[in-house]
Amino acid sequence: MTEIIRLSQARRGQGGQIQSVEALEDNPVDRMELERRLLEFGLVEGARLSVIHEGPIGRDPVVVDVEGMRIALRRHEVRGLILRLEGADAAE
Amino acid sequence: MSDTTVTVALVGNPNSGKTALFNGLTGSRQKVANYAGVTVERKAGAIKAPDGTPMTVLDLPGTYSLRARSPDEVITRDVVLGRRPEDVPDVLVVVADATNLRLVLRLALEIKAVGLPAVMALNMYDIAERQGLRIDLEGLSKAIGMPVVTTVATRRRGLDELLVAVQGVLASKTALASTWHEPDAGEIRQAHREAGRILSAHVRPPERPDTLTGKVDSVLLHPVAGLLILLGLLFIMFQAVFSWAAPGMDAIEMALGALGGAVAGIMPDGLLQSLVVDGLISGVGSVLVFLPQILVLFLFILLLEDFGYMARAAFLMDRIMGGAGLHGRAFIPLLSSFACAIPGVMSARVIDSRRDRLTTIMVAPLMTCSARIPVYTLIIAAFIPRETLWGWVELQGLVMFGLYAAGIISALVVSFVIRKVFWRGAFEPFMMELPAYKMPDPGSVALNLWQRARIFLERAGRIILPLMVVVWALSTFPGPPPGATGAAIDYSLAGMIGRALEPIFAPIGFNWQMVVALVPGMAAREVAVAALGTVYAVADAESAVGTLAGVLSVQWSLATGLAFLAWYVFAPQCVATLGVVKRETNSWKWMWVMVVYMFALAYLAAFVVYRLAVAFGLG
């Protein structure tokens, strides 16, 4: 079964393919900046990603594995990153 | 740079081993300075190619993109684009972590647009081989349009080949006009697709990928165990800063005392002797004495950094610090500030965004630095009884702990106010690569430690020397009239300032002797102890704390003692820190903001403490 979620909602162990990358900041300057930074870190459409660690407080930030690279991200900054979940290891 | 010298700039992602490559190429022949007008380090080294051609190698700050976001990255972009006249590169070397090529390939495509001859150094190639990663070097080289050389910087492998390749492209290629422009989101996506194509065509994924990092992370990043380990590391670090450094500090104090004594013996009594002994030697000594602590602290920080732990610490702390409006990366500067605010303020450079960096610099001096300890120890010895509470808590230790806690809490509150009131909603995303764990290389740690120590001494020395002379002059001139009975400082400018300011300090319970001591105490916090000794005419107060404490406990009320402690939690009584803040922010404004807000808080805190204590009958 495929399920589509925001990366900000993903739990540890969940992963899949990035379907779309967008920044959802209110300020247009911040929005453009965040989108480009996400892209520069290799968070691009089609890349495979999984959540491998969650922070100690409020499960935030998260560490994701993107094509073999580990990146720490804050959940609310990846609200606009849409993930197509894959695999049976999708926890809970 | 002369025209015959070839300038080679190293560009690459953070954690690509770029600095290791730079160290391998230049050895100890490197110069660390600042780029003019900004607080970005310029690291350059003069070397010779295998055929003897002189070269200048530049280690540019790591970046994922030429689209610069932080002051560091602005320098990288400007040097790469030939916009900094002091450093115009002839050749660019793109340093790549061979085990982690995806992002650097996109950067290489951006670099290609700059038009300069370029070479790619596939660094950490030994690790790639160990993992069974197969890279088609020729195909990769064709695809990115630059020669590819494999290197193992830490073992100095491939370095000569790299220099030969640099000379090769310099001879065969001419610089083209730059077609680089800031890429938009669409262009970044397209470049990534291109990089992905190159990667899948020429690189076969590792047969034995690194599993160690994942295993270590499952412990170090564990929500509970990870935090406990971080706390444990901090605890060990603190212990080490205070206990390992003690012999070194004692030795420095003794050596300076002996030097002062020797100079006093050689030079005739008089103003010049007083300037050299009381002004210069003791002034420089008051900073030099912290060098052992700073070395221990930096040793820990460098080891943890090179091991790959610091990014993890920032990850664990981001939410906790974020509650106070601080960035996860502010953790390292604030930690350093427990030894001394000067390295703390300097290491705020790791924070990209200007606002986050300024906030961190503004609150760093609130952390209890070790210069406050002599002051706290003196007042606690004078006023806090040696009692044990509930059978196991030392009252004196509890007060000391309370003072540390007051510093931390006030730093968090101040940064909260700055970020939530003055700079609401300022945007700084938290995005950090967590590098693979590596054993730190002792040589590069030692080199870095030496560089940190030198920078600390140069900065502090350059700032503190002239200021010490000023403070000395204030406490020396004019000399006491013949037949004077009081301490010489009473008759000096410092004494006059102290008496003039006394009415201002009366509401917080300070007497004029204390105010007089605060004037030379501006040089450094612990100088106040010696200054109190001077005004109360206790000879050699620093080694006779017991005597001075006895005098104070008679002369001051408990309320006054407590108010003095509260004052020292906040007051910016350290000109060296203020000087470094001025340099690091490149502005007088922020230095004055710090002076005003910290004195205001100090006054307020001392006022509240004094009035409360008096109300409870302790006046």
Side-chain angles (χ1 to χ4, degrees), chain B residues 103-393:
Chain B
L103 300 193
V104 76
L105 283 180
R106 200 197 61 75
L107 179 66
L109 295 174
E110 244 188 277
I111 299 274
K112 221 170 73 177
V114 173
L116 282 177
V119 178
M120 177 174 277
L122 272 188
N123 196 30
M124 307 192 208
Y125 197 67
D126 55 338
I127 302 177
E129 279 183 321
R130 221 176 304 141
Q131 291 182 1
L133 191 79
R134 295 280 184 74
I135 304 174
D136 161 21
L137 298 175
E138 229 169 272
L140 180 64
S141 164
K142 273 204 190 99
I144 58 171
M146 53 181 92
V148 174
V149 181
T150 63
T151 58
V152 183
T154 47
R155 301 194 182 167
R156 310 195 170 209
R157 261 191 247 150
L159 302 187
D160 282 350
E161 290 85 341
L162 177 63
L163 294 176
V164 169
V166 164
Q167 289 185 294
V169 287
L170 200 60
S172 64
K173 294 206 172 150
T174 44
L176 306 169
S178 169
T179 57
W180 183 85
H181 61 275
E182 213 174 82
D184 62 27
E187 287 166 316
I188 298 173
R189 284 189 167 90
Q190 202 196 329
H192 263 298
R193 276 196 292 275
E194 167 99 30
R197 260 198 305 278
I198 296 173
L199 204 61
S200 53
H202 305 292
V203 180
R204 225 176 54 196
E207 290 160 10
R208 298 172 292 280
D210 165 36
T211 53
L212 181 70
T213 297
K215 284 179 194 149
V216 176
D217 269 345
S218 64
V219 179
L220 293 187
L221 296 186
H222 187 274
V224 180
L227 269 185
L228 289 177
I229 292 170
L230 176 61
L231 286 177
L233 277 172
L234 294 184
F235 181 77
I236 294 170
M237 203 158 138
F238 267 105
Q239 288 294 313
V241 163
F242 291 110
S243 61
W244 297 4
M249 294 175 82
D250 292 346
I252 290 177
E253 278 189 329
M254 268 180 50
L256 284 164
L259 180 68
V263 172
I266 298 165
M267 291 177 72
D269 280 359
L271 274 183
L272 194 62
Q273 187 212 60
S274 165
L275 172 63
V276 172
V277 177
D278 303 329
L280 298 184
I281 295 179
S282 66
V284 173
S286 65
V287 175
L288 199 62
V289 77
F290 294 109
L291 184 64
Q293 287 193 335
I294 286 168
L295 285 179
V296 173
L297 185 80
F298 272 125
L299 178 65
F300 270 88
I301 290 177
L302 286 170
L303 285 174
L304 291 176
E305 182 87 63
D306 286 6
F307 181 61
Y309 185 72
M310 276 309 184
R312 270 93 180 166
F315 164 78
L316 289 170
M317 292 303 291
D318 183 62
R319 196 58 194 271
I320 298 166
M321 316 258 312
L326 286 165
H327 197 269
R329 286 193 184 202
F331 178 66
I332 302 160
L334 294 185
L335 194 63
S336 308
S337 302
F338 280 109
C340 173
I342 296 170
V345 169
M346 280 168 21
S347 57
R349 292 174 182 188
V350 297
I351 303 166
D352 294 341
S353 127
R354 181 173 160 79
R355 286 181 165 183
D356 278 337
R357 188 162 155 248
L358 273 175
T359 311
T360 308
I361 289 176
M362 282 295 133
V363 302
L366 290 172
M367 295 304 192
T368 303
C369 66
S370 42
R372 284 180 176 95
I373 294 172
V375 181
Y376 289 174
T377 316
L378 170 70
I379 306 298
I380 287 175
F383 292 99
I384 309 297
R386 274 194 171 276
E387 271 174 26
T388 308
L389 300 179
W390 311 297
W392 60 281
V393 181

Side-chain angles (χ1 to χ4, degrees), chain B residues 525-543:
Chain B
R525 289 179 175 88
E526 81 279 14
V527 174
V529 174
L532 281 173
T534 313
V535 277
Y536 284 108
V538 174
D540 200 10
E542 272 189 277
S543 51

Side-chain angles (χ1 to χ4, degrees), chain B residues 294-542:
Chain B
I294 286 168
L295 285 179
V296 173
L297 185 80
F298 272 125
L299 178 65
F300 270 88
I301 290 177
L302 286 170
L303 285 174
L304 291 176
E305 182 87 63
D306 286 6
F307 181 61
Y309 185 72
M310 276 309 184
R312 270 93 180 166
F315 164 78
L316 289 170
M317 292 303 291
D318 183 62
R319 196 58 194 271
I320 298 166
M321 316 258 312
L326 286 165
H327 197 269
R329 286 193 184 202
F331 178 66
I332 302 160
L334 294 185
L335 194 63
S336 308
S337 302
F338 280 109
C340 173
I342 296 170
V345 169
M346 280 168 21
S347 57
R349 292 174 182 188
V350 297
I351 303 166
D352 294 341
S353 127
R354 181 173 160 79
R355 286 181 165 183
D356 278 337
R357 188 162 155 248
L358 273 175
T359 311
T360 308
I361 289 176
M362 282 295 133
V363 302
L366 290 172
M367 295 304 192
T368 303
C369 66
S370 42
R372 284 180 176 95
I373 294 172
V375 181
Y376 289 174
T377 316
L378 170 70
I379 306 298
I380 287 175
F383 292 99
I384 309 297
R386 274 194 171 276
E387 271 174 26
T388 308
L389 300 179
W390 311 297
W392 60 281
V393 181
E394 288 279 336
L395 184 60
Q396 293 192 333
L398 189 68
V399 172
M400 189 63 122
F401 175 81
L403 292 166
Y404 269 87
I408 298 170
I409 291 166
S410 57
L412 295 180
V413 170
V414 169
S415 65
F416 182 84
V417 170
I418 295 177
R419 293 314 301 263
K420 304 287 152 128
V421 178
F422 295 111
W423 282 334
R424 283 181 56 185
F427 174 77
E428 174 60 21
F430 177 82
M431 240 176 257
M432 233 178 352
E433 187 182 347
L434 303 187
Y437 288 110
K438 271 187 233 45
M439 271 326 270
D441 174 52
S444 89
V445 170
L447 185 69
N448 268 320
L449 196 59
W450 159 240
Q451 284 175 354
R452 295 296 111 193
R454 229 183 47 198
I455 290 169
F456 167 76
L457 289 179
E458 277 175 15
R459 299 266 156 77
R462 212 175 297 160
I463 294 161
I464 198 146
L465 258 184
L467 287 166
M468 281 314 294
V469 174
V470 171
V471 169
W472 168 83
L474 283 177
S475 346
T476 308
F477 296 109
T485 48
I489 195 172
D490 293 359
Y491 304 94
S492 69
L493 274 169
M496 293 175 206
I497 295 173
R499 285 177 190 268
L501 291 179
E502 193 197 345
I504 301 177
F505 285 90
I508 62 172
F510 286 19
N511 57 31
W512 69 265
Q513 288 97 333
M514 294 163 75
V515 185
V516 172
L518 290 183
V519 178
M522 273 309 289
R525 289 179 175 88
E526 81 279 14
V527 174
V529 174
L532 281 173
T534 313
V535 277
Y536 284 108
V538 174
D540 200 10
E542 272 189 277

